[in-house]
Amino acid sequence: MPEGHTLHRLAAHFDKTFGGGAVRATSPQGRFADGAARIDGRVLVEGEAHGKHLFLGFDSGEWLRVHLGLYGAWSFGDADGERHLGAPRAMGTERVELNRDGDGFVVPPTPVGAVRVRLVNTGGWADLRGPSACEVITTDEKRAVQARLGPDPLRPDADPERAWHVINRSRTTIGALLMRQDVIAGIGNIYRAESLFRAGIDPMTSGRDLGRERWEPLWEDLTDLLRDGVRDGYIITTRPEHRPDPDAYPVPRPDTLYVCYRTGEPCRVCASPIAATELAGRTLYWCPGCQG
């Protein structure tokens, strides 16, 4: 499932490539036909992300809310004929021949697969496949969704005290609390495990036993990691001294993570075997040596 940095990158991409102009909306798959009709021909005013939710605001005062879930993805094409595949997953490009209609809108190629919604403007198009949520909502409904979410470290309105208020009173493990979107929005399985490793925190520590002296650096590090993810487009959590070739970055490599997907492999810091168990519905990875 895409984590918070990906949604903020998507919001910025929509602002840059669709913002300020009219958008044609269709549902090639047919499952979103009514919603597409509500925003068809409207001007996209802004893209906004909160946690794992993407909100696209239109001049009608309505918003397209998208949650990608485990299988959702956007793909983009631009007017010079190059099709960018697989956002948020990088899958390369392919050349396509494009035309324009009488109003100057791009005429994109025939949709491939089950495209829930297609957005087209004079510069290109965007296709959405497989989201867990895709709906048109009012501003009040958008606010109601956001009210259920915890602070997003990437947003300027983020208040870490809101998260701390929940964590400090909870018997639940910090490893589980970090996966709750009503505690901190945008944190997923990778950021959970990697941030706890970097902080040297046992993921089984209860929230009320964490202590502010460990919470504040954890929040700050999560914020920094997410910002790096927005900048780079992928998650890198290893520090330069723990990479075989630090000068090769930023380039995706197998040594970009400390513990995730490395069950049984030696820790990059202490050489203890990386452990794994299920927690909060996902596989949790940690180092018993560094986080014991």
Side-chain angles (χ1 to χ4, degrees), residues 112-268:
V112 176
V115 176
R116 185 75 57 86
V117 60
R118 166 171 279 187
L119 303 178
V120 180
N121 69 354
T122 58
W125 76 95
D127 286 346
L128 173 65
R129 297 174 177 84
S132 64
C134 177
E135 61 175 347
V136 176
I137 59 177
T138 66
T139 297
D140 286 344
E141 290 169 330
K142 170 180 175 286
R143 290 171 180 159
V145 171
Q146 293 180 282
R148 297 193 295 269
L149 298 173
D152 177 342
L154 287 172
R155 291 177 58 91
D157 60 0
D159 179 7
E161 285 299 310
R162 281 187 56 205
W164 175 240
H165 180 79
V166 177
I167 292 169
N168 189 41
R169 290 161 174 75
S170 178
R171 293 185 174 87
T172 303
T173 66
I174 187 63
L177 288 168
L178 288 183
M179 293 291 282
R180 281 178 44 182
Q181 297 302 296
D182 63 334
V183 178
I184 305 178
I187 304 304
N189 202 40
I190 298 178
Y191 281 122
R192 163 181 71 167
E194 296 294 311
S195 63
L196 290 174
F197 174 86
R198 286 166 58 98
I201 296 172
D202 183 342
M204 301 305 174
T205 302
S206 71
R208 66 180 186 174
D209 291 332
L210 184 65
R212 184 178 285 275
E213 72 280 0
R214 289 194 289 179
W215 157 248
E216 290 181 351
L218 177 62
W219 171 271
E220 292 173 4
D221 194 45
L222 277 168
T223 302
D224 290 341
L225 289 174
L226 284 161
R227 287 174 177 163
D228 289 347
V230 172
R231 180 195 65 208
D232 299 331
Y234 36 81
I235 301 175
I236 297 175
T237 62
T238 49
R239 298 181 171 94
E241 62 267 28
H242 300 138
R243 304 170 191 158
D245 185 5
D247 294 333
Y249 291 79
V251 175
R253 292 166 55 94
D255 51 358
T256 57
L257 303 176
Y258 279 111
V259 293
C260 281
Y261 316 119
R262 300 191 63 240
T263 307
E265 296 182 34
C267 173
R268 301 191 193 282

Side-chain angles (χ1 to χ4, degrees), residues 74-76 83-87 89-94 129:
W74 286 96
S75 62
F76 298 92
R83 188 176 183 190
H84 305 278
L85 297 177
R89 295 181 287 276
M91 296 172 58
T93 62
E94 72 178 82
R129 297 174 177 84

Side-chain angles (χ1 to χ4, degrees), residues 34-52:
D34 291 343
R38 288 170 62 179
I39 59 175
D40 183 39
R42 309 303 284 185
V43 173
L44 196 152
V45 177
E46 64 177 307
E48 181 183 345
H50 191 144
K52 299 183 181 183

Side-chain angles (χ1 to χ4, degrees), residues 6-123:
T6 296
L7 280 302
H8 282 267
R9 284 175 60 85
L10 285 168
H13 183 78
F14 274 105
D15 269 340
K16 178 181 178 181
T17 59
F18 287 84
V23 175
R24 288 180 176 168
T26 59
S27 179
Q29 179 192 57
R31 291 181 57 186
F32 188 64
D34 291 343
R38 288 170 62 179
I39 59 175
D40 183 39
R42 309 303 284 185
V43 173
L44 196 152
V45 177
E46 64 177 307
E48 181 183 345
H50 191 144
K52 299 183 181 183
H53 297 256
L54 173 68
F55 300 97
L56 300 180
F58 293 87
D59 62 352
S60 61
E62 294 186 305
W63 297 78
L64 174 63
R65 180 183 77 91
V66 173
H67 191 296
L68 293 174
L70 287 172
Y71 306 109
W74 286 96
S75 62
F76 298 92
D78 56 42
D80 70 1
E82 201 167 80
R83 188 176 183 190
H84 305 278
L85 297 177
R89 295 181 287 276
M91 296 172 58
T93 62
E94 72 178 82
R95 299 292 302 182
V96 294
E97 296 298 327
L98 292 178
N99 297 308
R100 294 178 183 274
D101 65 16
D103 296 319
F105 284 79
V106 167
V107 179
T110 302
V112 176
V115 176
R116 185 75 57 86
V117 60
R118 166 171 279 187
L119 303 178
V120 180
N121 69 354
T122 58

